[in-house]
Each structure stands twice: as structure tokens, then as C-alpha cells.
Amino acid sequence: MTEHPEQTEHPEQTEQTEQTEHPEQTGHPGHPQPPEQPQPPEQPQRPKPRAATVVRWTAFALALAAGATAAAFAVAAPARGRLPGLATANDGRYTFAPLTLPQLPSGKPAPSAPGSGHRHYAALPALVLPAPQEAPGAAPAAAADCADYAKLHEDGAHLPVVLATNACRSAATASWTAKDGTRTEIWLLRFGSSDEGGAFAEALVQRGSLKAVPQAVPGDDDATLQAGQHATIRITPPTSPTSPTSPGEAAYLTAGDVVATVLLTNPHGVPHQAFRQVLTLQADLLN
């Protein structure tokens, strides 16, 4: 009989069996296991899309409510000028409607156009400054006779001769009294040319003496005029130290072939800003 060797005589088989009985030892013999890596900290969970939408709409609603509250407060709050102690002091200026230039005859240029000679072809009453809102019920400007203008002056006998010599063609006038008691009177005289108008204006400066402005002295020429215009200011000195404003202020305004007289009177004093305003606006209409 042939003898068979026992299986226990094969150590490699036993070693293999032992290795299979410990499956967790997967490393190679003689090589240490690598240390375990630390786990990163858990990230906070992002809000769900629906929660983020709710947050955005809530913020929008709060901003909208704040804006509506501010707008309501602004509308309901009284104007600064109506609050006691905060109203802006009135310097005497008036409230005029926006100026509109009159219609020119067909084919005629404006007085400021090149080559026009500063002649005014529009109807003369339409070039007179209309009354402000502070003078309700004032009559509109109307045509007048050149000789009637001479009645405003002390030297009434000499001025008609000067008017005829310089060929005064037509006249227009308007007057109004504002709520503050200041009376305004405006006269426009049209001549045949700028030279004739300039000659008459020079005669007014030398010999003119308005009855409404007695003892007149030169005033401040601080009005804003247009190119080709000139104004000579005459004022009555204040009557008392307690009333620094003049009771009468006048201006002779030359604008091409038209000579204007702007006259403001008030026994309690003429607001200088009102006089300057009326003169400047009348000059604008004559440009």
C-alpha cells in the first residue's frame, strides 16, 4: 500500500486558511495601515428655494411700505412757506403769465433779426406788458395819441413839438394798480426809424420831467436789457429816513424805433424789485 502524506504537513495551506479567516486585514505584511483622514465639517444647509423666495418678497414688501409712507408724508406735509416762521419774505415782485410775442405781419422780420434795423412791425398794444395776477381786473393795453403822452410831463408844451419833429407814428399805453398799492403805467411810442427814436429819447433825458416823479434824480441802472436797448432811470428820493424806498421810479427805455416809459408810484414806497422786474419784462417784449 502506498502511503499518502497528511494535509497538515503543508504549512502554506494553513497560512492561507488563517488569512481567509480575517478578511479585515487586507494590507500587505510589513506595511502599516495609513491613518484615517479627518472628515470635513458639515456645511450648513442652504435654504430651500421656496424659503429664499419668501425672504426676498418680504424684504421687497417692507421697502415698498417704507416708500409709500414717506410719499404720503411728503404729500400731507404743509409747504414750507405755510409754516409759521418759515415763509419766504416777499420782495415785492409780481406774478406774470408767461410772455408771448405777438404775431408779425407776413414777411416782416423780428426787431432782433439781422438787417431789421431794430424796427417793430407788430401791433403796438400787443407789445405792452400785460398786468400781473396781483392786479385783477386791469384793462388791457390800448392805442393812444402821441400828444397824450406829453401830458405826463411838466413841460407839456415843449414835448409835443419834439414828438412831431421826430415823427411819432403811434402810441399805446396800459396801467394797473396792484394789491400793495403800487400803480404801474407803461407807454410805448413808435417812430419812423431807430435814429428818430434815439433822438426823442435823448430829448427826454435832457428835458423830460415826469409829474409823478418830482425832484427826480438818477437811479441805479441794474435792469437786464437786451442788445441794442438802453434805459435811463429816474427816481424820487425817499421822503423820510423811516421809509428808505422811493415813492416813484421811472425809466426811459430805448429799443430801436420804440421808446418806452415805465412808471411805478406808491406813496408808501415802490418795491425796487417790482420796478426792476417790470422794466426787464417790458424790455424782453421789445426785443
Side-chain angles (χ1 to χ4, degrees):
M1 284 181 66
T2 305
E3 294 182 0
H4 297 281
E6 296 182 359
Q7 295 180 357
T8 55
E9 293 180 359
H10 301 281
E12 65 278 2
Q13 185 176 0
T14 303
E15 184 178 354
Q16 183 178 2
T17 304
E18 291 177 355
Q19 290 179 1
T20 57
E21 291 179 356
H22 302 282
E24 68 275 4
Q25 297 180 359
T26 57
H28 296 283
H31 296 279
Q33 296 291 333
E36 296 182 359
Q37 298 293 332
Q39 297 294 330
E42 296 183 359
Q43 298 293 334
Q45 296 182 354
R46 298 179 60 183
K48 296 181 179 180
R50 182 175 182 181
T53 303
V54 172
V55 171
R56 286 196 300 268
W57 278 105
T58 302
F60 175 76
L62 291 175
L64 183 62
T69 302
F73 176 78
V75 172
R80 177 182 175 87
R82 298 180 181 178
L83 296 177
L86 295 180
T88 302
N90 184 10
D91 60 1
R93 283 178 290 185
Y94 301 134
T95 305
F96 289 91
L99 299 182
T100 55
L101 296 176
Q103 185 70 29
L104 290 171
S106 178
K108 297 298 182 180
S112 59
S116 64
H118 295 285
R119 298 193 62 180
H120 296 77
Y121 294 97
L124 204 57
L127 293 174
V128 179
L129 179 67
Q133 297 181 7
E134 289 78 4
D145 293 331
C146 294
D148 292 337
Y149 172 77
K151 300 176 182 178
L152 299 178
H153 295 263
E154 297 287 353
D155 191 3
H158 175 70
L159 275 183
V161 176
V162 179
L163 287 168
T165 302
N166 292 283
C168 179
R169 305 294 181 87
S170 59
T173 183
S175 63
W176 67 79
T177 301
K179 295 179 180 179
D180 62 355
T182 301
R183 185 179 186 274
T184 299
E185 187 171 0
I186 300 176
W187 279 80
L188 300 185
L189 306 175
R190 177 154 49 195
F191 296 85
S193 65
S194 298
D195 293 337
E196 294 173 347
F200 177 75
E202 184 177 353
L204 279 179
V205 173
Q206 293 178 356
R207 301 190 58 176
S209 178
L210 290 166
K211 297 178 181 179
V213 189
Q215 301 176 352
V217 297
D220 295 332
D221 187 7
D222 58 354
T224 303
L225 304 180
Q226 305 294 331
Q229 298 180 348
H230 176 73
T232 300
I233 312 298
R234 294 287 187 266
I235 66 171
T236 297
T239 56
S240 66
T242 59
S243 178
T245 56
S246 171
E249 297 194 30
Y252 298 129
L253 172 64
T254 306
D257 62 336
V258 173
V259 177
T261 297
V262 177
L263 175 62
L264 274 71
T265 56
N266 188 334
H268 301 290
V270 173
H272 180 68
Q273 292 297 332
F275 170 75
R276 184 176 182 271
Q277 178 192 27
V278 172
L279 177 58
T280 301
L281 293 179
Q282 182 59 71
D284 289 344
L285 279 175
L286 293 176
N287 183 31

